[in-house]
Amino acid sequence: MTAALAAPLFPTPGLLERLRPHAAATALTGCDGCPARALAVCQALADADMDEFGAIGDQQRFAPKEALFRQGDDADAVFTITSGMVRLYRLLSDGRRQILGFLLPGDFIGLAPDERYASTAEAVTPVAACRFDARAYATLAERKPRLLASLRRAAADELAAAQDHMVLLGRRSADERVAAFLIALRQRLAVRGGGAVTIALPMSRQDLADHLGLTIETVSRVISRLARERVLLVVPDGVRVLDAQKLQALAAA
Amino acid sequence: MTAALAAPLFPTPGLLERLRPHAAATALTGCDGCPARALAVCQALADADMDEFGAIGDQQRFAPKEALFRQGDDADAVFTITSGMVRLYRLLSDGRRQILGFLLPGDFIGLAPDERYASTAEAVTPVAACRFDARAYATLAERKPRLLASLRRAAADELAAAQDHMVLLGRRSADERVAAFLIALRQRLAVRGGGAVTIALPMSRQDLADHLGLTIETVSRVISRLARERVLLVVPDGVRVLDAQKLQALAAA
DNA sequence: CGGCCTTTTGATGTACTTCAACCCCTGTGG
DNA sequence: CCACAGGGGTTGAAGTACATCAAAAGGCCG
């Protein structure tokens, strides 16, 4: 139904390219040319330290739905996402799910390395990630104050994001949740060099619902209505922001 | 109406004593005899380091409703609570409030010292806290790896708690929220040497509602019903757990 | 005792969920 | 080439958990 309108805007140039691993083109060893280099925790390290750093980590790839780790597993590794998107979630015993966040290139997982993982991390798109042995990583961090400082900043950011999300879940309406989520994701994609108008949504509606504390139907209805009101344009695997101001107003900061 | 039942159980021996500052009895200088010593981040320091540590911090007292800091203020200090209870919250522009957490003795605030505080910290009861200059604290931490490690653990714990709360807010019913909250608070009080059956609730119903993402009426109704069903006994400034098993079942982990 | 604020309880309203049907792809096999 | 099964998404109708509105019932401090 939006096809007539959508057509002239297509094809979006490489909507999800930046989220996808760049084929086998990238050499899997070393941090040179890592697409997440400028974003990640590792940027804190001097070039001289990178060899040592690269030595304890190795690139891994994950297919969609494949888990980086599962809730309850021994927490023996930490990760930096280099491409793709990861969902981090917790399950209740009866199957209810809360997605804690969607991770993008440059994001770090494992700031809270307790004995066991408290949540599951699963690839949404094909994912590439640097995997580090948790123990080796911790040891290295102890000797590199700049890395440690960088980790602290990452932890601070993540905590702030978690608090934002608590406000969203506790005190916002369905419309506000969707709008606020889209604005936040757009911001994060923009930092990573994504276009500023098209927001990639490679995750399913169920994923969105489980992140926003809603049902799949409510998410669908809200997005449909925003499209009808010409705030958004629904495109495959994403949305285009037609009226950023209105979207902002809906988010009700 | 619960008076007949409640009477024999009263008076609860010093229900809130542990949350209250011990009058002027405590000398305000130094960390010796600090009631939070065993719990706080500072426990990581060797006795030898404590002088230096004590030098950059000073004890402050706050009356109920008084702010330790406010959302938007320059983030120039961090705190360790030594007695009392603090609520940490964020406000939306239209006045809606989300309480991110209630802080108890030993808890640390300021793990995310960005430029400005992203939330407000306000005394619920009379509060005593160690205030540290943020810059001096950071400098000291750089030179004391054990303190840094302790901060990391604190950050990890806080992040895990935030994630727990996201699950609560996003995916749990009103009954489950109240039950899960009470169990978690009971656990935290128990660690701090509180009794295991009586849960201190010095905060208002409005505070509870704003923490649990509910309204004051819903909180009141749920607690009333739990009392009617003999799961809880409502006492002044708290509740007594009569049927821990049932409460646990209601929380639906 | 009387005023004020918090809490409780009741009656009504509604935003979101639940249930259900249908659509639209994409893939598979005859 | 089309049939059709199956999964994700949208849309509609009905239900419900919680919110809102309203009023009464405590506590607390003058």
Side-chain angles (χ1 to χ4, degrees), chain B residues 68-252:
Chain B
L68 282 71
F69 55 80
R70 298 201 164 276
Q71 191 169 337
D73 285 357
D74 264 5
D76 53 5
V78 302
F79 298 84
T80 293
I81 310 301
T82 55
S83 78
M85 180 183 280
V86 169
R87 60 180 163 246
L88 191 70
Y89 64 83
R90 279 203 205 175
L91 288 174
L92 295 180
S93 48
D94 62 359
R96 279 175 289 178
R97 186 177 69 155
Q98 175 65 42
I99 292 189
L100 305 168
F102 296 103
L103 305 172
L104 298 177
D107 286 341
F108 185 83
I109 331 181
L111 288 164
D114 218 335
E115 280 295 291
R116 313 200 153 257
Y117 294 115
S119 53
T120 298
E122 215 171 73
V124 174
T125 64
V127 161
C130 277
R131 183 184 186 283
F132 301 93
D133 177 78
R135 203 165 294 279
Y137 199 91
T139 308
L140 180 62
E142 270 171 37
R143 288 186 292 113
K144 308 289 181 192
R146 296 207 48 192
L147 177 57
L148 211 47
S150 184
L151 282 172
R152 255 173 74 56
R153 165 149 290 277
D157 290 349
E158 195 170 330
L159 195 55
Q163 294 181 345
D164 273 343
H165 207 61
M166 284 193 241
V167 177
L168 182 147
L169 293 172
R171 284 292 175 239
R172 296 173 110 104
S173 71
D175 285 14
E176 290 168 352
R177 292 183 201 198
V178 171
F181 168 76
L182 288 176
I183 289 169
L185 180 58
R186 177 157 84 140
Q187 179 58 27
R188 294 175 63 213
L189 288 170
V191 167
R192 271 151 254 250
V197 287
T198 304
I199 303 173
L201 297 175
M203 71 293 273
S204 71
R205 291 285 187 266
Q206 186 63 64
D207 286 342
L208 288 179
D210 286 347
H211 185 47
L212 300 178
L214 301 168
T215 59
I216 186 176
E217 294 95 332
T218 299
V219 171
S220 182
R221 273 185 251 270
V222 170
I223 291 178
S224 294
R225 185 155 36 72
L226 292 184
R228 219 175 303 127
E229 292 168 0
R230 302 271 182 269
V231 178
L232 299 178
L233 176 65
V234 179
V235 302
D237 286 322
V239 295
R240 226 158 218 274
V241 178
L242 299 181
D243 189 338
Q245 208 169 351
K246 212 151 153 191
L247 191 65
Q248 185 71 55
L250 275 164

Side-chain angles (χ1 to χ4, degrees), chain A residues 67-79 88-91 100 109-121 131-135, chain B residues 160 163:
Chain A
L68 282 71
F69 55 80
R70 299 202 163 277
Q71 191 170 339
D73 285 357
D74 265 4
D76 53 5
V78 301
F79 298 84
L88 190 71
Y89 64 82
R90 280 203 204 173
L91 288 174
L100 305 168
I109 330 180
L111 288 164
D114 219 334
E115 280 295 291
R116 312 201 154 257
Y117 294 115
S119 52
T120 297
R131 182 186 186 284
F132 302 93
D133 177 79
R135 203 165 295 277
Chain B
Q163 294 181 345

Side-chain angles (χ1 to χ4, degrees), chain A:
Chain A
M1 84 217 286
T2 55
L5 243 178
L9 292 162
F10 288 162
T12 315
L15 213 187
L16 278 176
E17 288 317 300
R18 272 173 224 86
L19 291 180
R20 288 215 194 92
H22 12 257
T26 327
L28 290 187
T29 47
C31 302
D32 304 337
C34 168
R37 181 76 203 276
L39 300 156
V41 165
C42 1
Q43 69 167 343
L45 290 171
D47 287 343
D49 294 327
M50 286 310 287
D51 291 346
E52 190 176 357
F53 189 70
I56 66 166
D58 69 315
Q59 277 268 355
Q60 296 196 340
R61 294 184 173 282
F62 300 88
K65 302 192 181 183
E66 195 180 345
L68 282 71
F69 55 80
R70 299 202 163 277
Q71 191 170 339
D73 285 357
D74 265 4
D76 53 5
V78 301
F79 298 84
T80 293
I81 310 301
T82 56
S83 77
M85 183 185 277
V86 170
R87 60 178 163 247
L88 190 71
Y89 64 82
R90 280 203 204 173
L91 288 174
L92 295 181
S93 48
D94 62 0
R96 279 176 289 178
R97 186 178 67 154
Q98 174 66 40
I99 293 191
L100 305 168
F102 296 104
L103 305 172
L104 297 177
D107 286 340
F108 185 83
I109 330 180
L111 288 164
D114 219 334
E115 280 295 291
R116 312 201 154 257
Y117 294 115
S119 52
T120 297
E122 216 170 73
V124 174
T125 64
V127 161
C130 276
R131 182 186 186 284
F132 302 93
D133 177 79
R135 203 165 295 277
Y137 199 91
T139 308
L140 180 62
E142 270 170 36
R143 289 186 292 113
K144 308 288 179 190
R146 296 207 48 190
L147 178 56
L148 210 48
S150 185
L151 282 171
R152 257 172 69 61
R153 164 148 292 276
D157 291 348
E158 195 170 330
L159 194 57
Q163 294 181 344
D164 273 343
H165 207 62
M166 283 192 239
V167 177
L168 182 147
L169 292 171
R171 283 294 176 235
R172 294 172 111 105
S173 71
D175 285 15
E176 290 168 351
R177 291 183 201 200
V178 171
F181 169 75
L182 288 177
I183 288 169
L185 180 57
R186 178 157 83 139
Q187 179 58 29
R188 293 174 64 214
L189 289 170
V191 168
R192 273 150 253 250
V197 287
T198 303
I199 304 172
L201 297 174
M203 70 293 274
S204 70
R205 291 286 187 266
Q206 186 65 64
D207 285 342
L208 288 179
D210 286 348
H211 184 47
L212 300 178
L214 301 168
T215 59
I216 187 175
E217 294 95 331
T218 299
V219 171
S220 181
R221 273 186 252 269
V222 171
I223 292 179
S224 294
R225 185 155 36 71
L226 293 183
R228 220 175 304 125
E229 292 168 357
R230 300 272 182 272
V231 177
L232 299 178
L233 175 65
V234 179
V235 302
D237 286 324
V239 294
R240 223 161 219 273
V241 179
L242 299 181
D243 190 338
Q245 208 168 352
K246 212 152 154 191
L247 190 65
Q248 185 70 55
L250 276 164

